[in-house]
């Protein structure tokens, strides 16, 4: 009998009272595997050799894919980071909330502390939970955090026992890590001030002092200069706390190692958000120049190294038999996302978007179609999962796995897709909903994909990516036309009506 069969046979309810199951003498519950969710940033379906990339090689990720389950039709809820993370962690479509655009670095916590999160579900099942790396869902009260004091609420208030996070993105200030509510290495005599509207303090900006830059912006990104890179937003102070851009991957890997080592004898859940391969792309010297595709390719190698390190530490700690690794991305790829890192010039035939239209920010497939790999040694059969999966289903799938019951209004948009995640079923999700930068929505169902008409600009102003906004309704037959070349809305008005009504009715709930 496999571990999983045993697990799913337990009567629901026991777990609520007593945690999952009784502990073994070592304290480890063999039927409660650890779960590490590696959530990458802006990684495209065409960026990994296991998904067909030929110009870059990602052996560690490929190994997980080769020995685990590789999904070909997996989606994030949204084409940017903050809403995708919100949707995945809460099982609530981010567009139901008004506050899930791209969060600035001084945003308050965007997840209501009363909302059930994936981390809460693990906690209820007796797991120790941690979040390490990119967060991008705000911190502190609605008015925004004071980085000089204990910041509350923080992720500890929404299900994580431990946090070590990049508050927003690495191209946004403040350029510091926050650990359990406090800025790491902050000198109280050098307080941090952050403002997204006007300059604070006297640190140079990219706009005023471009001669100080080691990496120049191609779009925006011309506010405060930190480590030779101008960012979005202004900051001053906190000098001793500033991260080193080329060491971020190493820093978060070593924090993961501490967390995993400390929790080796009890079940743990780690939400590990990489900065790679978001901008600014600053590979460590070990990877600089190694891909032949410039910095964007080099940080793909750095990401692959990161995954290799996690696998290696699990082996070393003898946890590899008992740890599920889920690997995915928050949104699709972008080539030039605001810095002159020669990403376009050095592509060398590499195709981050694969055959798909659009990219990050877009309603077209390359916006939300993401890599997804689920690896569980000897428990998940190696193979390819073609069933349609959406990250919105993470919460209820996890709850089913851990035998945790939920209220009906918890994770209202999430469905239990556990059997698909484990490769036991090949059943498509009935429909998926996609959100672009402007909150325009599309719905995919039964081989059709319908886009809500929008008067907003069709092209993202900085990157030139097609957003999918158009005043005309769009309808694509995504199975025969995966690149969404032929809008067939005029030929199939009944399908347009049906999908538009379906999307309306889903949107009108609550
Ligand atoms: C955009 C930034 C981009 C990136 C993105 C958020 C400019 C010109 N572009 O506004 O560089 O930071 O926001 O990316 O400023 S995300 O993956 O975190 O959503
Ligand atoms: Ca992202």
């Amino acid at each position: 009998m496999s571990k999983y069969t045993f697990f799913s046979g337990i009567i629901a309810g026991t777990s609520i009272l007593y945690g999952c199951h009784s502990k073994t003498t070592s304290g480890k519950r063999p039927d409660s595997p650890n779960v590490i969710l590696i959530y990458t940033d802006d990684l495209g379906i065409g960026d990994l050799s296991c998904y067909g990339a030929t110009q870059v090689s990602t052996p560690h990720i490929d190994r997980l894919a080769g020995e685990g389950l590789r999904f070909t039709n997996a989606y994030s809820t949204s084409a940017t980071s903050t809403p995708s993370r919100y949707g995945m962690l809460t099982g609530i479509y981010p567009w139901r909330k008004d506050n899930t655009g791209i969060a600035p670095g001084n945003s308050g916590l965007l997840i209501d502390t009363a909302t059930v999160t994936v981390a809460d579900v693990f906690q209820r099942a007796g797991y120790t939970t941690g979040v390490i790396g990119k967060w991008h869902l705000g911190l502190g009260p609605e008015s925004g955090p004071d980085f000089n004091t204990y910041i509350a609420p923080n992720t500890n208030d929404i299900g994580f026992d431990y946090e070590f996070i990049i508050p927003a993105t690495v191209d946004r200030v403040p350029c510091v890590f926050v650990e359990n509510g406090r800025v790491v290495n902050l000198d109280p005599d050098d307080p941090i001030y952050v403002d997204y509207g006007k300059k604070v303090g006297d640190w140079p900006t990219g706009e005023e002092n471009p001669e100080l830059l080691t990496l120049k912006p191609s779009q925006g990104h011309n506010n405060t200069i930190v480590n030779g890179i101008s960012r979005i937003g202004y900051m001053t102070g906190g000098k001793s706390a500033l991260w080193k851009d080329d060491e971020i991957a190493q820093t978060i890997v070593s924090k993961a190692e501490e967390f995993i080592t400390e929790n080796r004898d009890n079940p743990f859940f780690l939400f590990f958000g990489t900065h790679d391969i978001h901008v600014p792309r600053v590979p460590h010297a070990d990877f600089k120049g190694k891909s032949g595709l410039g910095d964007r390719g080099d940080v793909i190698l750095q990401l692959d190294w990161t995954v290799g390190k996690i696998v290696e530490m699990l082996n070393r700690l003898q946890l590899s038999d008992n740890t599920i690794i889920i690997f995915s991305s928050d949104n699709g790829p972008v080539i030039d996302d605001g810095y002159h890192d020669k990403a376009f010039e050095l592509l060398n035939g590499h195709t981050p978007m694969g055959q798909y239209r659009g990219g990050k920010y877009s309603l077209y497939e390359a916006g939300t179609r993401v890599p997804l790999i689920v690896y569980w040694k000897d428990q998940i059969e190696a193979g390819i999962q073609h069933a349609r999966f959406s990250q919105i289903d993470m919460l209820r799938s996890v709850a089913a796995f851990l035998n945790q019951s939920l209220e009906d209004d918890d994770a209202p948009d999430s469905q239990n897709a556990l059997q698909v995640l484990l490769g036991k079923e090949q059943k498509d999700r009935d429909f998926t909903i996609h959100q672009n930068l402007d909150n325009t929505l599309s719905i995919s169902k039964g081989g059709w994909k319908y886009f809500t008409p929008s008067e907003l600009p069709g092209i993202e102003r900085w990157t030139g990516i097609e957003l999918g906004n158009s005043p005309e309704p769009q309808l694509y037959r995504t199975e025969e036309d995966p690149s969404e070349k032929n809008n067939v809305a005029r030929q199939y008005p009944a399908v347009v009506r049906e999908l538009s009504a379906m999307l309306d009715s889903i949107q009108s709930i609550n």
Side-chain angles (χ1 to χ4, degrees):
M1 183 165 70
S2 82
K3 216 186 280 182
Y4 176 66
T5 327
F6 168 70
F7 188 78
S8 60
I10 300 291
I11 304 157
T14 330
S15 55
I16 297 160
L17 290 172
Y18 304 113
C20 254
H21 309 293
S22 59
K23 288 194 175 198
T24 61
T25 40
S26 75
K28 192 88 197 171
R29 286 171 273 204
D31 47 339
S32 302
N34 310 308
V35 178
I36 301 180
L37 170 55
I38 303 176
Y39 206 50
T40 66
D41 202 352
D42 298 359
L43 186 74
I45 191 120
D47 278 322
L48 301 171
S49 35
C50 54
Y51 277 91
T54 53
Q55 303 303 88
V56 68
S57 171
T58 49
H60 295 109
I61 300 167
D62 293 2
R63 218 203 94 222
L64 292 184
E67 294 174 18
L69 198 59
R70 181 172 69 83
F71 286 65
T72 58
N73 286 297
Y75 292 88
S76 59
T77 64
S78 316
T80 57
S81 159
T82 302
S84 276
R85 285 157 205 261
Y86 185 92
M88 185 180 64
L89 289 176
T90 66
I92 304 171
Y93 286 124
W95 38 263
R96 292 201 191 284
K97 309 284 159 188
D98 306 330
N99 57 4
T100 51
I102 297 171
N106 60 354
S107 162
L109 182 65
L110 294 172
I111 298 178
D112 193 307
T113 52
T115 301
V116 174
T117 67
V118 167
D120 285 321
V121 178
F122 276 105
Q123 251 182 5
R124 289 179 190 179
Y127 281 59
T128 303
T129 56
V131 50
I132 293 173
K134 175 164 170 173
W135 175 238
H136 211 187
L137 284 164
L139 282 176
E142 220 181 313
S143 55
D146 174 353
F147 288 100
N148 303 299
T149 58
Y150 175 70
I151 303 165
N154 59 48
T155 69
N156 301 160
D157 301 292
I158 52 169
F160 291 100
D161 297 307
Y162 175 72
E163 75 174 19
F164 181 93
I165 53 176
I166 295 161
T169 61
V170 173
D171 58 347
R172 284 174 173 74
V173 300
C175 301
V176 297
F177 297 110
V178 173
E179 187 170 30
N180 293 330
R182 293 197 185 272
V183 170
V184 178
N185 292 331
L186 180 66
D187 172 358
D189 294 332
D190 180 24
I192 297 180
Y193 296 99
V194 170
D195 200 303
Y196 273 72
K198 58 176 190 320
K199 184 171 171 176
V200 282
D202 57 3
W203 289 11
T205 67
E207 194 176 15
E208 295 161 352
N209 292 94
E211 75 286 356
L212 299 178
L213 296 171
T214 51
L215 179 61
K216 291 198 186 340
S218 57
Q219 310 129 7
H221 296 111
N222 60 359
N223 303 150
T224 301
I225 301 176
V226 175
N227 305 334
I229 302 168
S230 45
R231 319 273 165 161
I232 307 173
Y234 301 93
M235 77 173 285
T236 189
K239 228 175 185 151
S240 56
L242 299 175
W243 62 51
K244 295 192 173 62
D245 289 86
D246 61 342
E247 288 176 11
I248 289 174
Q250 277 86 349
T251 304
I252 60 175
V253 160
S254 69
K255 285 291 157 185
E257 185 158 17
E258 283 172 21
F259 177 82
I260 293 171
T261 307
E262 256 168 46
N263 291 292
R264 60 186 297 183
D265 292 327
N266 54 266
F268 65 80
F269 165 60
L270 173 60
F271 176 42
F272 185 81
T274 69
H275 156 56
D276 292 323
I277 61 168
H278 198 278
V279 296
R281 301 168 182 136
V282 185
H284 183 266
D286 290 353
F287 308 102
K288 180 83 185 166
K290 295 287 158 64
S291 68
L293 305 181
D295 294 340
R296 189 175 184 284
D298 296 346
V299 295
I300 295 177
L301 301 186
Q302 184 163 279
L303 173 69
D304 189 59
W305 168 86
T306 300
V307 172
K309 288 305 273 188
I310 293 200
V311 170
E312 184 191 300
M313 64 183 83
L314 292 175
N315 287 338
R316 196 170 58 246
L317 295 166
Q318 296 181 318
L319 294 173
S320 43
D321 286 357
N322 195 33
T323 302
I324 300 175
I325 301 177
I326 304 174
F327 174 94
S328 196
S329 178
D330 65 344
N331 52 251
V334 51
I335 299 168
D336 180 341
D337 203 21
Y339 290 99
H340 281 296
D341 55 14
K342 297 214 173 81
F344 264 114
E345 294 86 327
L346 297 174
L347 265 181
N348 221 3
H350 177 61
T351 51
M353 286 81 172
Q355 61 175 319
Y356 301 106
R357 187 169 175 183
K360 176 177 180 178
Y361 308 114
S362 176
L363 220 39
Y364 293 112
E365 284 291 288
T368 52
R369 183 188 273 270
V370 288
L372 172 63
I373 297 162
V374 184
Y375 170 86
W376 188 9
K377 197 173 171 195
D378 300 332
Q379 301 295 330
I380 287 183
E381 236 176 86
I384 297 179
Q385 175 60 284
H386 293 297
R388 175 174 290 264
F389 175 81
S390 169
Q391 292 175 0
I392 196 81
D393 292 340
M394 200 61 88
L395 196 144
R396 282 192 176 261
S397 304
V398 164
F401 184 64
L402 300 173
N403 246 320
Q404 293 297 305
S405 57
L406 296 168
E407 301 295 329
D408 286 348
D409 50 4
D410 295 334
D413 297 308
S414 189
Q415 300 176 5
N416 171 8
L418 179 61
Q419 302 304 326
V420 171
L421 270 182
L422 298 176
K424 313 265 174 193
E425 259 180 21
Q426 273 72 41
K427 196 166 159 273
D428 276 334
R429 193 184 208 276
D430 182 38
F431 63 90
T432 48
I433 298 182
H434 316 256
Q435 172 192 14
N436 75 5
L437 175 69
D438 302 313
N439 294 336
T440 314
L441 302 184
S442 69
I443 182 166
S444 291
K445 183 176 159 59
W448 301 94
K449 182 172 170 193
Y450 165 75
F451 294 45
T452 312
S454 165
E455 300 291 337
L456 291 165
I459 305 277
E460 204 277 321
R461 68 176 171 143
W462 303 106
T463 56
I465 288 175
E466 291 181 289
L467 290 168
N469 297 325
S470 163
E472 297 298 317
Q474 293 176 77
L475 182 72
Y476 298 96
R477 306 200 74 162
T478 41
E479 264 154 39
E480 59 205 55
D481 177 24
S483 312
E484 298 163 294
K485 289 201 175 93
N486 304 308
N487 179 4
V488 295
R490 276 167 203 264
Q491 288 98 298
Y492 297 96
V495 181
V496 167
R497 270 197 304 278
E498 190 192 320
L499 291 180
S500 147
M502 185 172 172
L503 193 50
D504 282 350
S505 86
I506 295 167
Q507 276 181 274
S508 66
I509 305 168
N510 284 321

